[in-house]
Amino acid sequence: MPPAKKKQKTVQPITISDIRVAVIKKKLKAGVKEKDRAFSDFTVRYALVLANKCCHGSSRIMVSSNNTLWDEDAEGGEKDQAKEMQKLVAAALDRHKSAAADREKDCALDVEFGSGALPAADSTTWDYLWGYAENEMRKQLTESTGDADQPIWLGRTIANPDWGNDCIWRNASRGTKSIDGALVTSGACAIYVQWYTQRELGVLEYVVEGGANAKPIISSNKDLIDAGFEMTQVYGSSVRVPRRRTVRSNQMSDFEYSGTRSSLQTSEGDWYRREYGNMYRLDVQLRDRAMDRAGLQM
């Protein structure tokens, strides 16, 4: 009788479910002070989070920047760090597969770009990932120089017409979503926020940040701190936040519509022009209580 055929084991591919970004301060060279720290004095790390444990017994693959990331390119200009990090990710995945083959291990990791949460090679998500890392480095550089001109920015949630006039959008997918540069991980939320900063340094009076051309930005809820500040309007007029509409509404007549512009442009434009003239005061005791709740210190 012919020998019985062995049953072939079906291996489900393992996908990358998330990419998490971290920046780590390097030890400075002798004689270099903290205030002189530069971008090249950081290590940028991408943690590739796998949907399941892989052949190496872990559900993560760590990819770190190297010293050549900050070198000049062949033309003497600055390298495209977003693409350089993408190349490092590709090299790390190749090494992972090669190491598995050397150990004669079956590796089910799907390393194709565009699979799972791993962005396609030409995706702008690589720019967003690097942009997030760059912002984190910039924040730490600002902290290290002792620049405390605006230690607290106050955020106000605003209705986003693209979210059905909600101010919050939850990422119900399994991967990270990039929304206007904000990286929103699975289960996290994007929030539409208008920022306010001090009108005069040292005085707890706040005005809309950015002047007459200000507009809300989208942030991940993981980048925000819910301190529960309470402010009192001390100057200006009461202005409703803008909402998308297709017809003129009597309820929104205080937006001063113009028939020559689209309703969305008019409502948002008028709101910011009028809100720019408003001023809010933050009581110092309310500020201190809110900061205590959030675990912050001045």
Side-chain angles (χ1 to χ4, degrees):
M1 294 180 63
K5 292 184 178 180
K6 292 183 178 180
K7 290 185 178 180
Q8 291 190 353
K9 185 179 178 180
T10 302
V11 179
Q12 288 293 111
I14 298 174
T15 58
I16 296 172
S17 61
D18 196 6
I19 300 178
R20 298 176 184 174
V21 182
V23 297
I24 303 160
K25 287 183 176 180
K26 295 181 183 177
K27 184 177 180 180
L28 294 173
K29 296 179 181 178
V32 179
K33 295 181 179 180
E34 183 63 34
K35 67 182 182 65
D36 298 321
R37 182 181 292 276
F39 281 168
S40 56
D41 296 315
F42 289 89
T43 295
V44 178
R45 183 167 293 163
Y46 289 0
L48 310 182
V49 182
L50 314 182
N52 302 100
K53 285 187 177 181
C54 198
C55 58
H56 63 316
S58 175
S59 59
R60 293 196 180 195
I61 296 176
M62 309 302 292
V63 182
S64 296
S65 60
N66 54 28
N67 292 331
T68 65
L69 185 69
W70 309 101
D71 292 346
E72 294 181 346
D73 60 19
E75 286 74 34
E78 185 179 347
K79 281 186 176 179
D80 185 336
Q81 281 96 3
K83 282 189 170 54
E84 292 299 312
M85 286 300 296
Q86 178 192 340
K87 292 176 184 177
L88 291 174
V89 169
L93 294 175
D94 286 343
R95 288 195 302 271
H96 176 85
K97 298 291 276 190
S98 296
D102 292 341
R103 299 193 309 270
E104 297 183 350
K105 289 270 190 179
D106 291 328
C107 181
L109 181 61
D110 186 353
V111 298
E112 293 296 322
F113 284 100
S115 172
L118 188 61
D122 58 351
S123 172
T124 56
T125 301
W126 294 106
D127 296 319
Y128 295 139
L129 288 169
W130 178 256
Y132 177 84
E134 198 171 61
N135 284 337
E136 290 298 301
M137 287 186 284
R138 187 174 289 111
K139 283 195 293 187
Q140 294 193 40
L141 288 175
T142 301
E143 292 169 1
S144 66
T145 58
D147 181 7
D149 283 351
Q150 290 284 354
I152 302 175
W153 286 31
L154 304 182
R156 174 186 186 183
T157 56
I158 299 293
N160 188 334
D162 293 330
W163 301 342
N165 287 327
D166 285 335
C167 62
I168 189 170
W169 174 87
R170 183 177 181 276
N171 180 10
S173 71
R174 295 182 60 187
T176 297
K177 298 289 186 181
S178 178
I179 307 175
D180 286 356
L183 296 178
V184 185
T185 57
S186 177
C189 296
I191 301 178
Y192 205 44
V193 180
Q194 175 61 59
W195 291 102
Y196 293 74
T197 53
Q198 290 178 1
R199 177 183 62 83
E200 180 181 347
L201 297 182
V203 179
L204 295 182
E205 293 176 344
Y206 285 78
V207 293
V208 65
E209 166 64 18
N213 297 319
K215 61 164 56 174
I217 63 172
I218 295 175
S219 299
S220 168
N221 70 302
K222 296 191 175 179
D223 296 330
L224 304 175
I225 298 175
D226 183 8
F229 289 106
E230 297 177 18
M231 293 198 299
T232 303
Q233 185 171 344
V234 294
Y235 182 82
S237 59
S238 176
V239 186
R240 295 191 183 101
V241 294
R243 292 178 179 271
R244 174 172 285 176
R245 59 193 59 75
T246 55
V247 295
R248 181 166 178 161
S249 166
N250 291 331
Q251 294 178 338
M252 298 293 181
S253 59
D254 61 341
F255 279 110
E256 301 172 359
Y257 294 110
S258 167
T260 60
R261 295 177 292 176
S262 72
S263 58
L264 179 60
Q265 289 175 329
T266 301
S267 62
E268 290 187 349
D270 288 343
W271 185 80
Y272 292 118
R273 278 191 294 275
R274 298 179 66 180
E275 181 66 3
Y276 176 56
N278 290 341
M279 184 171 68
Y280 301 85
R281 179 171 294 141
L282 177 62
D283 180 81
V284 64
Q285 292 182 339
L286 291 176
R287 180 202 66 183
D288 292 344
R289 285 202 295 269
M291 292 187 69
D292 285 342
R293 287 197 302 269
L296 300 174
Q297 292 181 344
M298 285 294 291

